[in-house]
Amino acid sequence: MFAGLRAPSSSGEACPARLVHVMTRKTKGVDSTRAVLAFMFRHWRGYPGYVATISLAMMASTLADVFMPLFAGRLVDAIANGGADREAALHAALVAFAAMTALGLGMVTVRHIAFNTIIELSLRVMAEVAQEAFARVQRFSTDWHANSFAGSTVRKITRGMWALDLLHDTILLALLPSLVVLAGSMVLLGLHWPVMGLVVGLGSVVYIVMIALVSTLYVAPAARLSNAWDTRVGGTLADAMSCNAVVKAFGAEVREDERLLHVLTRWRRRTRRLWRRGTQNGTLQIVALVLIRAAIVGTALWLWWHGRATPGDLTYVLTTYFVIHGYLRDVGMHINNMRRSVNDMEELVAMNREPVDVADRHDAQPIRIGEGEIRFERVRFHYAGHTSALYDDLSLTVRAGERVGLVGPSGSGKTTLVKLIQRLYDVTGGRILIDGQNIAEARQSSLRSQIAIVQQEPVLFHRTLADNIAYGRPGASMAEIMRAAELANAHDFIMRLPKGYATLVGERGVKLSGGERQRVAIARAFLADAPVLILDEATSALDSESETLIQEAMERLMEGRTSIVIAHRLSTVRALDRILVFDNGSIVEEGTHASLYRKDGLYRRLCDHQGLEFARVNEPEPVL
């Protein structure tokens, strides 16, 4: 019996490992239920009129189910006792019949009101939750997005959104009326026969508590694990589909099939366990309902045998039982639905509670960049999970309008520098100033809107070319969009497309070549016309003919702007005002191309590795 439990250790550990695991799992289930319900109630507070209307209408509609058996019993008694005075019996029967009809019509009316109101409530809250989750995900850090599957994130949001709809229906349209009917029936029966009220009340309470415990402590953990693997399935599908070009390039379709099969196998095992536990829970509910029925019918027969119940009373009790039976059966289903809804919303609620790593301060103000001077003052920074700092006491000034190149081996800190300027990460020490303004005190949106960036691997939206170019300036005219495309050497290839600037580029721009995507991204930077410009090897994906034209355009674009160029091909930084050479998070050399090449340092070695013989040719004669 105790084979699966670990004995207490000699250190005095009194709680076996499995018991600790079970208790932790139970606590997690209770905490997650509380968190989901608190999340829902927080959104309900914005619509108190809707919630009150639905609750009152559904409680009113349940009165029909509570009083209908009572009038049915009176109808039977009127007919059974009508031998002596048929007219009086007919009158009593018609009164009962009229009451039953009125209750039915009233129930239909108020239920119609409740159902129409909950449609509006659910749609408003679902849209609000989806918008809230999307806004939060958009503001999560670069690290968060790098470590998350886009498909999994979408699945969490949509699954949680639809689970909220089911949770609304379960609580407002199902559980609330069920509890009212059970309580009302118990009170009415108890007023006639206290023992019957006790049987109904005790049986209902035991049944509801039992189902709630089984659902929460036995079924819910299996559902939580099944949902986790459901999320993995979505992430695996999205990962392979978004990288389909790579899959085809390596003929790896079978390999990806096998990878998905592995995930689906784990999902199938977890979901099978969930469904089996759900089936066991359903069987347990049926057994409990049979026992409750036996108790109620047996008590009614006992009352009749002792002369304390008429045939009409028996009709009342049996009709009430059938109502109670239906509601108790549905309560079990509603509790299961509530448990499923909570499980489906757990990941969405957890994501909503996850802190935003890089957040605006409560008093953050818009930043105004004019000249564009950038200053690093004794900056210290290390990535999360890293024990050593990448930057330790880094000080640097990029003068207004200066064109600065960043070179160095991979991982030396070049890209991190521009990410810190955009405040994609917060520094752990020191500060970064632009035109004397601490960027940590500015609104991130205002900061980034004044920094144009062209990435090495440009990402485009599945929208038109015009929309992609105008993304930095959504109000730009078509003439301005076309001018930016001309400067980026993109206008000609765009006009050759069947729909020109109205052409949809596909997800992440897959319908365009790498060079075409790069030129669209460069056009986007032209149109943004920001005072600070960041170029992350912006010509790396261009053919040599286009590169020459783009280099000239870049020269014009950088004129009068503070420009930072991350260079992997050192030929792109020869004409810049200053070059910073990074190594292990430190600036080990700085100067012009000519001055750095004269030194026997890291920059010269990098040039020699790339075979830049032009550097020797163009090197000025040393002053003797």
Short mmCIF file of all heavy atoms in Angstrom, two decimals, residues 42 49 71 73-74 81 116 202 214 233 248 297 349 359 388 394 443 485-486 494 508 567 577 605 612 614:
data_model
loop_
_atom_site.label_atom_id
_atom_site.label_comp_id
_atom_site.label_asym_id
_atom_site.label_seq_id
_atom_site.Cartn_x
_atom_site.Cartn_y
_atom_site.Cartn_z
N ARG A 42 -12.85 40.90 -12.51
CA ARG A 42 -12.28 42.22 -12.78
C ARG A 42 -12.86 42.81 -14.06
O ARG A 42 -13.15 44.01 -14.14
CB ARG A 42 -10.76 42.12 -12.90
CG ARG A 42 -10.07 43.43 -13.26
CD ARG A 42 -8.57 43.32 -13.12
NE ARG A 42 -7.99 42.39 -14.07
CZ ARG A 42 -7.71 42.70 -15.33
NH1 ARG A 42 -7.96 43.92 -15.80
NH2 ARG A 42 -7.16 41.81 -16.14
N GLY A 49 -24.24 46.61 -15.11
CA GLY A 49 -25.63 46.54 -15.55
C GLY A 49 -25.94 45.25 -16.28
O GLY A 49 -26.99 44.63 -16.05
N PHE A 71 -47.77 23.50 -8.33
CA PHE A 71 -49.07 23.65 -9.00
C PHE A 71 -49.47 22.36 -9.72
O PHE A 71 -50.67 22.08 -9.86
CB PHE A 71 -49.02 24.83 -9.98
CG PHE A 71 -48.99 26.17 -9.29
CD1 PHE A 71 -47.82 26.92 -9.27
CD2 PHE A 71 -50.11 26.64 -8.64
CE1 PHE A 71 -47.79 28.15 -8.62
CE2 PHE A 71 -50.10 27.88 -7.98
CZ PHE A 71 -48.92 28.63 -7.97
N GLY A 73 -48.96 19.41 -8.47
CA GLY A 73 -49.56 18.63 -7.38
C GLY A 73 -50.96 19.10 -7.06
O GLY A 73 -51.87 18.28 -6.81
N ARG A 74 -51.18 20.43 -7.05
CA ARG A 74 -52.52 20.96 -6.79
C ARG A 74 -53.49 20.56 -7.90
O ARG A 74 -54.67 20.29 -7.64
CB ARG A 74 -52.45 22.48 -6.67
CG ARG A 74 -51.73 22.96 -5.40
CD ARG A 74 -51.72 24.48 -5.31
NE ARG A 74 -51.06 24.90 -4.09
CZ ARG A 74 -50.86 26.19 -3.75
NH1 ARG A 74 -51.30 27.14 -4.57
NH2 ARG A 74 -50.25 26.50 -2.62
N ASN A 81 -59.93 14.87 -6.11
CA ASN A 81 -60.95 15.14 -5.10
C ASN A 81 -62.19 15.80 -5.70
O ASN A 81 -62.98 16.41 -4.98
CB ASN A 81 -60.38 16.06 -4.01
CG ASN A 81 -59.19 15.43 -3.31
OD1 ASN A 81 -59.16 14.21 -3.14
ND2 ASN A 81 -58.24 16.25 -2.91
N ASN A 116 -30.02 37.36 -24.56
CA ASN A 116 -29.60 38.47 -25.41
C ASN A 116 -28.59 39.37 -24.70
O ASN A 116 -27.66 39.90 -25.32
CB ASN A 116 -30.82 39.30 -25.84
CG ASN A 116 -31.49 38.73 -27.06
OD1 ASN A 116 -31.04 38.88 -28.19
ND2 ASN A 116 -32.59 38.01 -26.84
N LEU A 202 -29.31 17.74 1.93
CA LEU A 202 -28.08 17.01 2.23
C LEU A 202 -27.55 16.30 0.98
O LEU A 202 -26.35 16.34 0.68
CB LEU A 202 -28.34 16.00 3.36
CG LEU A 202 -27.10 15.25 3.88
CD1 LEU A 202 -26.10 16.24 4.46
CD2 LEU A 202 -27.51 14.23 4.93
N VAL A 214 -13.73 16.29 -7.05
CA VAL A 214 -13.21 15.37 -8.08
C VAL A 214 -12.73 16.15 -9.30
O VAL A 214 -11.65 15.88 -9.85
CB VAL A 214 -14.27 14.33 -8.47
CG1 VAL A 214 -13.80 13.52 -9.68
CG2 VAL A 214 -14.56 13.40 -7.31
N VAL A 233 1.70 21.59 -29.45
CA VAL A 233 1.30 21.21 -30.81
C VAL A 233 1.18 22.46 -31.68
O VAL A 233 1.69 22.51 -32.81
CB VAL A 233 -0.02 20.43 -30.80
CG1 VAL A 233 -0.55 20.26 -32.22
CG2 VAL A 233 0.17 19.06 -30.16
N LYS A 248 11.96 22.80 -47.05
CA LYS A 248 12.07 22.37 -48.45
C LYS A 248 13.52 22.36 -48.91
O LYS A 248 13.94 21.48 -49.67
CB LYS A 248 11.23 23.29 -49.34
CG LYS A 248 9.73 23.14 -49.16
CD LYS A 248 8.98 23.96 -50.18
CE LYS A 248 7.47 23.86 -49.99
NZ LYS A 248 6.98 22.48 -50.02
N VAL A 297 -37.36 9.20 -3.43
CA VAL A 297 -38.56 8.37 -3.69
C VAL A 297 -38.89 7.52 -2.47
O VAL A 297 -40.07 7.37 -2.08
CB VAL A 297 -38.35 7.49 -4.94
CG1 VAL A 297 -39.53 6.53 -5.11
CG2 VAL A 297 -38.17 8.36 -6.18
N VAL A 349 -4.31 33.85 -18.30
CA VAL A 349 -4.26 34.63 -17.06
C VAL A 349 -2.82 34.73 -16.56
O VAL A 349 -2.39 35.80 -16.11
CB VAL A 349 -5.17 34.01 -15.99
CG1 VAL A 349 -5.00 34.70 -14.64
CG2 VAL A 349 -6.63 34.07 -16.44
N ALA A 359 9.44 48.35 -18.79
CA ALA A 359 8.17 49.07 -18.67
C ALA A 359 8.41 50.57 -18.53
O ALA A 359 9.43 51.01 -17.98
CB ALA A 359 7.40 48.56 -17.45
N SER A 388 28.18 37.05 -15.72
CA SER A 388 29.12 38.14 -15.97
C SER A 388 28.48 39.20 -16.86
O SER A 388 27.63 38.91 -17.69
CB SER A 388 30.40 37.61 -16.65
OG SER A 388 30.07 36.96 -17.86
N LEU A 394 30.89 51.14 -19.23
CA LEU A 394 31.09 51.59 -20.61
C LEU A 394 30.67 53.06 -20.74
O LEU A 394 29.52 53.41 -20.42
CB LEU A 394 30.27 50.73 -21.57
CG LEU A 394 30.26 51.18 -23.03
CD1 LEU A 394 31.65 51.03 -23.65
CD2 LEU A 394 29.23 50.40 -23.83
N ARG A 443 9.01 57.76 -22.62
CA ARG A 443 8.10 56.74 -23.14
C ARG A 443 8.79 55.99 -24.27
O ARG A 443 9.36 56.60 -25.18
CB ARG A 443 6.81 57.38 -23.65
CG ARG A 443 5.95 57.99 -22.56
CD ARG A 443 4.70 58.60 -23.16
NE ARG A 443 3.94 59.34 -22.15
CZ ARG A 443 2.94 60.16 -22.42
NH1 ARG A 443 2.57 60.35 -23.69
NH2 ARG A 443 2.31 60.80 -21.46
N ALA A 485 10.85 54.92 -52.07
CA ALA A 485 11.19 53.69 -52.81
C ALA A 485 12.24 53.98 -53.89
O ALA A 485 13.14 53.17 -54.12
CB ALA A 485 9.94 53.09 -53.42
N GLU A 486 12.13 55.13 -54.53
CA GLU A 486 13.13 55.49 -55.54
C GLU A 486 14.50 55.66 -54.91
O GLU A 486 15.52 55.20 -55.45
CB GLU A 486 12.70 56.79 -56.25
CG GLU A 486 11.49 56.61 -57.18
CD GLU A 486 10.98 57.93 -57.70
OE1 GLU A 486 11.49 58.99 -57.25
OE2 GLU A 486 10.06 57.92 -58.55
N ILE A 494 9.18 47.27 -57.91
CA ILE A 494 7.78 47.35 -57.46
C ILE A 494 6.84 47.58 -58.64
O ILE A 494 5.78 46.95 -58.75
CB ILE A 494 7.61 48.45 -56.40
CG1 ILE A 494 8.35 48.08 -55.10
CG2 ILE A 494 6.13 48.70 -56.09
CD1 ILE A 494 8.35 49.16 -54.04
N ARG A 508 5.78 37.69 -43.43
CA ARG A 508 7.18 38.08 -43.23
C ARG A 508 7.86 38.45 -44.55
O ARG A 508 9.09 38.47 -44.64
CB ARG A 508 7.96 36.96 -42.52
CG ARG A 508 7.40 36.61 -41.16
CD ARG A 508 8.14 35.45 -40.53
NE ARG A 508 9.51 35.82 -40.21
CZ ARG A 508 9.89 36.40 -39.08
NH1 ARG A 508 9.00 36.69 -38.15
NH2 ARG A 508 11.16 36.69 -38.86
N ALA A 567 28.63 46.88 -38.79
CA ALA A 567 29.26 46.40 -40.02
C ALA A 567 29.84 45.01 -39.81
O ALA A 567 30.64 44.79 -38.91
CB ALA A 567 30.35 47.36 -40.46
N ASP A 577 32.73 58.58 -40.20
CA ASP A 577 33.52 59.53 -39.42
C ASP A 577 34.37 58.84 -38.38
O ASP A 577 35.49 59.27 -38.09
CB ASP A 577 32.60 60.54 -38.72
CG ASP A 577 31.75 61.31 -39.71
OD1 ASP A 577 32.25 61.60 -40.81
OD2 ASP A 577 30.58 61.62 -39.39
N ARG A 605 43.50 43.16 -38.33
CA ARG A 605 43.40 41.72 -38.51
C ARG A 605 42.06 41.34 -39.14
O ARG A 605 41.98 40.46 -40.00
CB ARG A 605 43.58 41.00 -37.18
CG ARG A 605 44.99 41.10 -36.61
CD ARG A 605 45.24 40.05 -35.54
NE ARG A 605 44.36 40.23 -34.38
CZ ARG A 605 44.63 41.04 -33.36
NH1 ARG A 605 45.76 41.77 -33.36
NH2 ARG A 605 43.80 41.13 -32.34
N LEU A 612 40.81 42.80 -47.53
CA LEU A 612 40.58 44.17 -47.97
C LEU A 612 41.90 44.81 -48.40
O LEU A 612 42.49 45.63 -47.70
CB LEU A 612 39.93 44.98 -46.84
CG LEU A 612 38.55 44.52 -46.41
CD1 LEU A 612 37.96 45.47 -45.39
CD2 LEU A 612 37.63 44.44 -47.61
N PHE A 614 42.23 46.82 -50.68
CA PHE A 614 42.02 48.23 -51.02
C PHE A 614 42.45 49.11 -49.87
O PHE A 614 42.82 50.26 -50.06
CB PHE A 614 40.54 48.48 -51.33
CG PHE A 614 39.64 48.24 -50.15
CD1 PHE A 614 39.42 49.25 -49.22
CD2 PHE A 614 39.02 47.02 -49.97
CE1 PHE A 614 38.59 49.03 -48.14
CE2 PHE A 614 38.21 46.81 -48.89
CZ PHE A 614 37.99 47.81 -47.96
#
